[in-house]
């Protein structure tokens, strides 16, 4: 549940921050962009296949690079090039 609690905390803090900035006039109105579902699906598929092939999610890959994992280094370089 650690990841779930971290993500929920980030969502709540981010929501409060955005609302506060809107009320203070620091940012303009926010508009939702239209989505191209096919492109989003293709991008998600490429991202998911890359995660499966690498064997790490992006956050743990960065942590593995910090520990000197060579396979994670290759994956991060691939992600940056992509």
């Amino acid at each position: 549940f650690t990841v779930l609690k971290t993500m929920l905390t980030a969502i709540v803090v981010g929501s409060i921050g955005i609302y506060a900035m809107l009320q203070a006039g620091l940012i303009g109105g926010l508009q939702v962009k239209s989505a191209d579902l096919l492109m989003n699906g293709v991008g998600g598929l490429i991202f998911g296949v890359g995660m499966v092939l690498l064997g790490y999610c992006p956050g743990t890959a960065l942590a593995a690079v910090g520990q000197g994992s060579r396979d994670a280094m290759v994956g991060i370089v691939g992600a940056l090039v992509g």
Side-chain angles (χ1 to χ4, degrees):
F1 289 104
T2 302
V3 173
L4 177 63
K5 289 187 284 186
T6 302
M7 291 302 297
L8 286 174
T9 301
I11 290 168
V12 169
V13 170
S15 298
I16 292 170
I18 288 174
Y19 182 75
M21 287 189 291
L22 278 169
Q23 293 302 313
L26 297 174
I27 57 176
L30 303 174
Q31 293 85 22
V32 177
K33 294 180 182 180
S34 62
D36 185 352
L37 296 180
L38 177 63
M39 292 309 212
N40 287 346
V42 170
L45 183 65
I46 293 170
F47 183 78
V49 168
M51 274 181 44
V52 168
L53 291 175
L54 181 59
Y56 295 104
C57 71
T60 56
L62 290 172
V65 167
Q67 293 179 336
S69 174
R70 290 185 180 149
D71 59 336
M73 288 180 200
V74 171
I76 295 298
V77 168
L80 291 173
V81 169

